[in-house]
Amino acid sequence: MVNIYHENDGNLSFLKDKTIAMIGYGNQGRAQALNLRDSGLNVIIGNRSDRFKQMAINDGFSTFSIEEAVNKSDITFLLIPDEIMNVVFETQIRPNLKSQSALVFASGYNIGFKLIKHPKDVDILLLAPRMIGVGVRENYLNKNGFFSFIAIEKDFSGNALEILLALAKAIGTLKKGAIELTFKQEAELDLFNEQGFGPAFGRVLLSAIYTLIDAGYPPEAVLVEMYMSNEMSYTYKKMADVGLIKQVDFHSQTSQYGAMSRGIKFRKLPVKPVMESILKNIQNGEFTKEWEKKMTKLKFKMIKFFATKQKINKLEKLVRKNLNLKIYDIYEEESPTKEELETLKDIEHEIKLFEQYYI
Ligand code: NDP
């Protein structure tokens, strides 16, 4: 049985007299810092001097350089983007980390895939909200709480679980529940949702859109029907609120019969084997190895260039204009330079496949 922790499992006295440094004041950093402070804890911010630092000052926090903040703290939260975390860790965090302190991550990625080799004399903790930053703040203020995944990689102090649960209580997650995993499991679940579920859902959505457009329905009506009305997002919310099956009660009898009787036609869609191979590729570290390669950043730029040329982007722009909705400037991705194309020569065939897929 997995361990799931609730409000009574956290005891804030384990954080008494501790200084907590938030490294990063972005989506998660700001929300978690405000929640911890409102729970009565002593929080300081470590950030480069720019608009994020200014935001922290405006919110009334004492701010320091990253090095200084780490040096002053008993508990350090690393709330910066995962892609640059290992470099920042080696240059600015590790040399300043106090022995017997605690290091807290909000994502299992860098520890789970061993991109950061953690020091042996600190507690290594994971407190990963299943919630965007604004939601972390809102659900703290309205006392609803939010789910999190937690993990302990290293229990140097002997009190790692007590410290982690106290922090979890203070950011507001125990009101809903914290599920204990390993760092690697957390990272794998996250990556699978992004790679196994996201694109499959996108493919199904686009297939539905073009089935209707090819049949002659006005694009404005099709996009409103399929996602722009927000009806689907309410359905998704209801799945979380009352259950996957119970939410069916919110739909008409005609809708229920239609969905249930026609659902059987999709039963042989070969989606699961593809998902299983994507999951395997995540678990064996192949994805991380690929993403960490310098060349992959260039490949990513190329894929993004093709993806932004998809016909749905043009169609959506037109529909948004006709519906008087704000148009966001995501449609023009810079074309690759000659030198970039030359660098990608060895994977020319693969790049061609992306071009054919998206355009
Ligand atoms: P953000 O992109 O919002 O982080 C921005 C912060 O990182 C800013 O303070 C920025 O400051 C700092 N930063 C960016 N680049 C650097 C750098 N090179 N050196 C030092 N500081 C830098 O990150 P998130 O809050 O989205 O993510 C933080 C962590 O939380 C990640 O591990 C993520 O996986 C995890 N997480 C995120 C969730 C989300 O909803 N976003 C949900 C759950 C977990 P500046 O640019 O001024 O240096």
Side-chain angles (χ1 to χ4, degrees):
M1 264 295 278
V2 67
N3 290 324
I4 304 174
Y5 298 97
H6 297 284
E7 195 68 358
N8 289 338
D9 297 314
N11 180 350
L12 293 194
S13 69
F14 281 94
L15 303 175
K16 197 167 168 283
D17 302 327
K18 302 242 187 246
T19 299
I20 300 174
M22 287 283 155
I23 307 304
Y25 202 71
N27 291 312
Q28 288 293 327
R30 178 166 192 257
Q32 295 196 25
L34 290 169
N35 291 4
L36 292 175
R37 184 174 68 182
D38 286 354
S39 293
L41 303 176
N42 178 28
V43 182
I44 60 173
I45 309 298
N47 208 89
R48 296 189 290 203
S49 292
D50 65 1
R51 68 186 177 92
F52 289 104
K53 186 168 197 161
Q54 195 50 51
M55 210 192 305
I57 293 169
N58 294 347
D59 287 337
F61 285 105
S62 300
T63 62
F64 300 90
S65 68
I66 292 178
E67 290 87 343
E68 276 178 302
V70 174
N71 200 265
K72 283 179 183 299
S73 67
D74 306 296
I75 298 172
T76 300
F77 277 68
L78 265 182
L79 298 181
I80 58 178
D82 294 320
E83 308 86 75
I84 47 102
M85 199 179 277
N86 53 357
V87 174
V88 175
F89 182 79
E90 290 307 332
T91 53
Q92 293 165 272
I93 312 276
R94 191 194 288 279
N96 298 290
L97 207 54
K98 284 199 294 208
S99 177
Q100 305 187 33
S101 63
L103 197 54
V104 187
F105 293 79
S107 149
Y109 186 80
N110 280 285
I111 294 290
F113 288 108
K114 300 195 186 323
L115 302 174
I116 290 179
K117 274 219 174 94
H118 63 77
K120 297 282 174 264
D121 58 347
V122 298
D123 290 346
I124 304 292
L125 312 175
L126 175 70
L127 179 42
R130 304 338 276 168
M131 184 57 76
I132 58 171
V134 268
V136 164
R137 183 62 181 153
E138 265 172 34
N139 286 292
Y140 175 89
L141 291 174
N142 66 23
K143 298 186 169 39
N144 281 340
F146 48 90
F147 284 113
S148 286
F149 293 155
I150 60 170
I152 298 171
E153 176 77 10
K154 174 90 190 161
D155 180 4
F156 182 76
S157 66
N159 286 329
L161 183 62
E162 288 78 4
I163 293 170
L164 181 56
L165 291 178
L167 292 168
K169 181 171 183 159
I171 69 163
T173 183
L174 292 190
K175 285 217 158 54
K176 201 66 157 233
I179 302 173
E180 190 172 0
L181 298 174
T182 64
F183 273 69
K184 189 152 184 282
Q185 283 176 324
E186 190 277 342
E188 286 167 359
L189 286 177
D190 211 26
L191 291 174
F192 179 77
N193 196 357
E194 294 157 4
Q195 298 173 26
F197 176 69
F201 176 73
R203 203 71 219 147
V204 169
L205 185 60
L206 282 175
S207 300
I209 288 171
Y210 284 109
T211 300
L212 293 171
I213 286 183
D214 292 349
Y217 295 91
E220 290 78 4
V222 171
L223 297 201
V224 165
E225 178 68 34
M226 296 312 301
Y227 66 95
M228 277 189 180
S229 65
N230 261 328
E231 192 183 3
M232 271 310 288
S233 61
Y234 274 99
T235 299
Y236 224 86
K237 180 167 174 2
K238 285 292 167 207
M239 284 183 200
D241 288 348
V242 302
L244 201 63
I245 304 300
K246 181 68 184 162
Q247 64 82 26
V248 166
D249 291 352
F250 295 108
H251 303 272
S252 70
Q253 295 298 306
T254 314
S255 156
Q256 290 182 32
Y257 172 71
M260 288 176 195
S261 63
R262 269 44 181 180
I264 201 166
K265 287 184 188 288
F266 295 97
R267 79 189 187 285
K268 284 200 174 146
L269 263 190
V271 174
K272 200 154 167 272
V274 181
M275 288 183 169
E276 283 165 350
S277 82
I278 287 173
L279 180 60
K280 200 153 182 229
N281 185 260
I282 292 169
Q283 289 170 327
N284 65 19
E286 285 299 316
F287 171 77
T288 310
K289 223 194 280 165
E290 179 182 329
W291 178 230
E292 291 304 313
K293 277 189 203 153
K294 223 172 171 187
M295 166 81 101
T296 306
K297 305 293 177 289
L298 201 51
K299 176 176 157 188
F300 177 39
K301 183 179 173 190
M302 206 60 208
I303 298 174
K304 232 175 155 179
F305 173 70
F306 295 138
T308 54
K309 298 277 168 291
Q310 288 179 95
K311 57 182 179 176
I312 187 68
N313 292 336
K314 279 205 190 92
L315 186 77
E316 196 189 44
K317 194 173 185 179
L318 183 74
V319 166
R320 291 186 75 88
K321 184 167 164 266
N322 293 347
L323 294 175
N324 286 331
L325 297 173
K326 184 170 173 197
I327 296 171
Y328 293 90
D329 191 18
I330 57 157
Y331 303 99
E332 308 299 337
E333 181 69 29
E334 256 178 61
S335 58
T337 63
K338 265 197 181 139
E339 295 80 65
E340 286 172 341
L341 286 174
E342 190 56 35
T343 316
L344 290 171
K345 226 169 172 37
D346 285 350
I347 54 165
E348 208 172 13
H349 175 68
E350 201 187 336
I351 296 290
K352 195 91 209 138
L353 291 179
F354 285 112
E355 184 175 7
Q356 286 161 358
Y357 177 67
Y358 283 114
I359 306 185

